[in-house]
């Protein structure tokens, strides 16, 4: 009898947890997507898709200002990635035989 209660409770918990997790996931994903969209529009302005006069179907060339904004945005992202990589290297330290930055040397294995 206790086995039936366990199975029923487990299945109920799995269903309720799945529904609650799904709803939370959708809400959080929509907020993150909205924030990313606003950031990317500031960093990378959209190019006009209207054709130039006399030339059908061609895009207008990007302006110097939009190119500079895109370049700065990319440089910022690269700097953030480099910082994250350095942080991970410091946290991992001597993993895979690489010495830590604190001056420790990797121990060589005799083969």
């Amino acid at each position: 009898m206790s086995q039936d209660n366990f199975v029923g409770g487990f299945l109920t918990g799995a269903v309720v947890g799945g529904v609650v997790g799904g709803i939370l996931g959708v809400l959080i994903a929509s907020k993150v997507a909205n924030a990313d969209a606003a950031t990317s529009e500031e960093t990378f302005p959209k190019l006009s898709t209207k054709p130039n006069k006399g030339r059908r179907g061609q895009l207008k060339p990007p302006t110097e200002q939009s190119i500079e904004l895109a370049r700065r945005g990319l440089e910022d992202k690269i700097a953030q990635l480099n910082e994250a990589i350095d942080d991970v290297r410091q946290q991992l330290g001597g993993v895979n035989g690489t010495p830590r930055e604190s001056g420790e040397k990797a121990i060589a294995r005799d083969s």
Side-chain angles (χ1 to χ4, degrees), residues 4-101:
D4 292 336
N5 289 338
F6 173 77
V7 171
F10 180 78
L11 292 176
T12 302
V15 170
V16 171
V19 170
V20 170
I23 291 171
L24 286 175
V26 168
L27 292 175
I28 292 171
S30 66
K31 287 183 181 181
V32 169
N34 290 340
D36 286 346
T39 303
S40 66
E41 279 188 27
E42 291 172 2
T43 307
F44 305 107
K46 293 182 180 179
L47 296 176
S48 174
T49 56
K50 296 178 183 177
N52 292 334
K53 293 180 181 176
R55 296 182 183 178
R56 299 183 73 174
Q58 291 187 0
L59 297 176
K60 291 182 181 179
T63 63
E64 292 290 325
Q65 185 179 10
S66 66
I67 292 172
E68 185 64 21
L69 281 172
R71 185 185 64 77
R72 285 187 203 153
L74 289 173
E75 286 177 351
D76 291 342
K77 293 292 182 185
I78 291 170
Q80 289 174 353
L81 287 171
N82 285 335
E83 289 177 16
I85 290 169
D86 290 342
D87 289 343
V88 170
R89 281 186 184 155
Q90 288 178 354
Q91 290 174 358
L92 293 178
V95 175
N96 293 330
T98 58
R100 294 181 182 229
E101 290 186 16

